[in-house]
Each structure stands twice: as structure tokens, then as C-alpha cells.
Amino acid sequence: MRRPTMDDVAQRAGVSRALVSLVMRESPKVSPERRAAVLAAAADLGYSPHAMARQLAQRTSTVLAVLVSDLHNPYFADIVESVDTAAREAGLDMILSTGGRRPAGERRAVETMLGFRPAGLVLLSPVVPQAVLEAASVSTPVVAVERTVALPGVDTVTDDGRAGSRLAVDHLVGLGHRDVVHLDGGQGAQSSTRRRGFVDAMRAHGLEPRVEPSEYTEEGGAAAVARLLAAGTRFTALVAANDINAIGALSALADAGLRVPEDVSVVGYDNTSLAAMRHVGLTTVDQPRAEMGRLAVAAVVERIAGRRTTPTRHRLQPSLVVRTTTAPPPRR
């Protein structure tokens, strides 16, 4: 049986979740009548604030600030959903902002969110300089998701991008592909890790690693494929920087009259909802996004509760989801 939450108590008492939070924090701003109603509902449901909630009661904020790199990428929606669920269970209320994949925009967003004096800050694939992360960690717990940093005040949750790229290459080589190109993620978080994984995996198979500059966008994927075709580059498979990039690549291949996977195989990265759509059917590297969101909140909770002062580095293992965009290369 699932443990009752603040939302359950609020519904039973007929009040807002915010009011339940005030009661649990023993705020003097609640009338005796409403306090009694909330406590009675909590008793009926068997709800009691856990140790984390008691820690939060001693703070001035129960806000968890979350920065999303790109609102157009459904990858982030999955992580945000997981973060929100874990935050609610910890007695935290999430607020969301974005910097539009621009360092300056993200810096402003971080500064704005810090103005709320949040209980913690979770950044999803941030592109701000490390100095911004370090400065933020002085005032609140900071967790970077899908960004590798070595700052003592910043916890990290990433997947093993090198292993993910290796899964993609091994799959394609196993199908018989030899002319494989990686569409690079540019300055995006973890792009260099995925690129290194691709290069290492190709060399391990005795093949020439070819990398085409791109970025984590649909436009970037389409432009990269257009350049490859205009240059007459020979390739039978593409390993895209992420799923959005792969969608752009698929569009450009279709515009050029090339069939997927009969003429060219394509592998994405992230396993977003777009990849799973029937008319897309993208073979892609899956990141355990729900687990990443949960671990990010857990890292914040540990810092708030004083259970840890040293940084934690979670690195999760990806897996490959094979769909319909990969097949053996065409016979020459």
C-alpha cells in the first residue's frame, strides 16, 4: 500500500496542500479550526511527516528550483515529472525555469531562482560556466543532471555517455555497417562524452570514426545530414547526438529521397516519447530518466538533512532500445 501524502491529507480535509504544509511545520498562521481539521485528516489516513519534513520545517523555504535546458526536448519532461513526484514526497514544491540552451539565459534564470531562497537547485543539462554552479552551491544544495563537474558543493547525476555511444556503435557494426557517422551535440552537456564513446567504439572495431558537427536540435540534425550529402560523404548509418537531432536527420534523409532503414540506419539517444511513436520507431539509447530525477531530489534531501557534506556522483548505465530505424546496410 502506498504511503499517504500531503496531497491526500489536503483532499481529505478539504484544504490546500500549502495549508497542510503550514500545519505540519507548526506555523502560527493557521487557525485552530483548520489546524484541527488537517490533523484529524492526517490521523485518519495514517500520515505523519517523516524526518525530511521535520528538517524542512526548520528552514524558510520548501521550494525546489529546477532549471531545464530546453523546453522543446521531451527528454526533460520525463525527468521533470520524476523530480516533481520525488519532491512532493519530500515535502518540497517545485518551481521551473529555463535558459533556452544559452549560458547567459541560464545564468539569469539561476540568479532569479536563487532569489526565492530555494531549499535546493536542480539543473538539467546546464550549459552555464562552472563558476555559476559553484557560486550557487554556496547558498543552497545544487545538483547537476547530465553534466559532469568536479565541484565539492555540487552533486551530479549522469548516465554513462561513453557506454551509451558504444551500445549504438556495437549494434550498427553487428548489423554489418562500416561507414558510420556521428552527428555531434556541439556545446551541449555530455556531448563530448558521447563523442568520445563513439570514437573509441569505432576504433575498437578497427573502423574510421567520422564526426559531423551538429547540436542537440532538430535543425542541427537536418543541417548536418544536408552537409554530408552535399559533400558526397559515404555513410550507411548515423549515430545522432540525441533523439531530437535524430528526428532532424530523418527529415533530411527523407527530403533527399533516402529510405530509413533500407538506405541509411539511424540511432538516437535518450529514448524520448518521440522515439517511441509508431511512425518514428527510432532505435535509441535509453537513459533511466525516472531514476535520474529521483536521485537528484535524494541528493538535495541528503544535503538539507545534513546527512552528507561530500559530493555524490551517480553514474547510471544506459541501455539500447531497438526499433525500426536500423537494419543491415544496403548491398553494394
Side-chain angles (χ1 to χ4, degrees):
M1 180 180 297
R2 90 177 164 87
R3 187 175 62 189
T5 66
M6 278 192 185
D7 290 325
D8 297 327
V9 175
Q11 185 175 5
R12 173 67 66 90
V15 300
S16 68
R17 185 180 184 280
L19 183 65
V20 175
S21 179
L22 288 173
V23 171
M24 296 305 164
R25 288 187 282 130
E26 300 181 357
S27 170
K29 298 179 181 180
V30 183
S31 68
E33 294 79 10
R34 287 195 167 188
R35 185 185 305 278
V38 169
L39 292 177
D44 289 343
L45 293 171
Y47 173 85
S48 61
H50 48 62
M52 182 60 223
R54 290 193 293 271
Q55 290 286 344
L56 290 171
Q58 301 171 9
R59 296 179 60 87
T60 59
S61 175
T62 59
V63 169
L64 178 65
V66 179
L67 175 71
V68 176
S69 176
D70 184 2
L71 288 175
H72 296 93
N73 190 340
Y75 161 76
F76 295 110
D78 293 338
I79 296 185
V80 167
E81 183 177 20
S82 176
V83 168
D84 184 52
T85 299
R88 287 176 178 272
E89 292 176 353
L92 294 163
D93 296 301
M94 185 184 73
I95 61 171
L96 192 67
S97 186
T98 183
R101 296 185 296 107
R102 302 185 310 275
E106 288 193 2
R107 181 194 296 268
R108 288 193 297 271
V110 168
E111 291 174 350
T112 299
M113 290 191 295
L114 288 178
F116 287 93
R117 298 184 180 276
L121 177 62
V122 175
L123 303 102
L124 307 183
S125 297
V127 295
V128 290
Q130 286 201 22
V132 175
L133 304 180
E134 186 173 24
S137 69
V138 173
S139 58
T140 193
V142 174
V143 182
V145 178
E146 277 300 274
R147 166 78 179 269
T148 302
V149 297
L151 299 171
V154 178
D155 299 317
T156 59
V157 181
T158 66
D159 83 312
D160 189 337
R162 297 182 71 172
S165 291
R166 186 168 61 248
L167 288 172
V169 171
D170 289 350
H171 170 64
L172 292 170
V173 172
L175 290 172
H177 291 275
R178 297 295 180 268
D179 299 313
V180 185
V181 177
H182 176 52
L183 305 186
D184 182 61
Q187 299 302 311
Q190 297 299 95
S191 63
S192 62
T193 302
R194 296 177 189 179
R195 180 173 60 248
R196 287 196 303 270
F198 172 82
V199 170
D200 291 346
M202 289 291 286
R203 287 175 175 166
H205 286 288
L207 300 173
E208 177 188 358
R210 290 182 291 175
V211 177
E212 180 66 21
S214 189
E215 58 181 9
Y216 284 153
T217 65
E218 185 175 348
E219 296 78 10
V225 169
R227 288 194 303 271
L228 289 171
L229 294 175
T233 303
R234 179 179 175 179
F235 62 93
T236 63
L238 299 172
V239 176
N242 65 359
D243 286 353
I244 297 295
N245 183 275
I247 296 297
L250 291 172
S251 296
L253 291 169
D255 290 343
L258 293 171
R259 300 166 301 166
V260 176
E262 292 85 356
D263 299 317
V264 180
S265 288
V266 178
V267 180
Y269 204 113
D270 289 342
N271 194 27
T272 62
S273 56
L274 285 177
M277 295 179 70
R278 181 174 297 180
H279 71 281
V280 178
L282 180 66
T283 294
T284 185
V285 178
D286 178 72
Q287 296 190 65
R289 299 177 300 287
E291 181 71 0
M292 295 170 81
R294 187 190 67 77
L295 288 173
V297 175
V300 170
V301 166
E302 290 169 358
R303 292 272 193 176
I304 294 174
R307 297 200 293 268
R308 176 176 51 79
T309 57
T310 57
T312 185
R313 307 280 181 242
H314 294 290
R315 189 174 70 168
L316 307 181
Q317 291 303 306
S319 59
L320 186 71
V321 179
V322 178
R323 296 193 177 97
T324 61
T325 59
T326 52
R331 292 183 179 180
R332 301 295 183 184

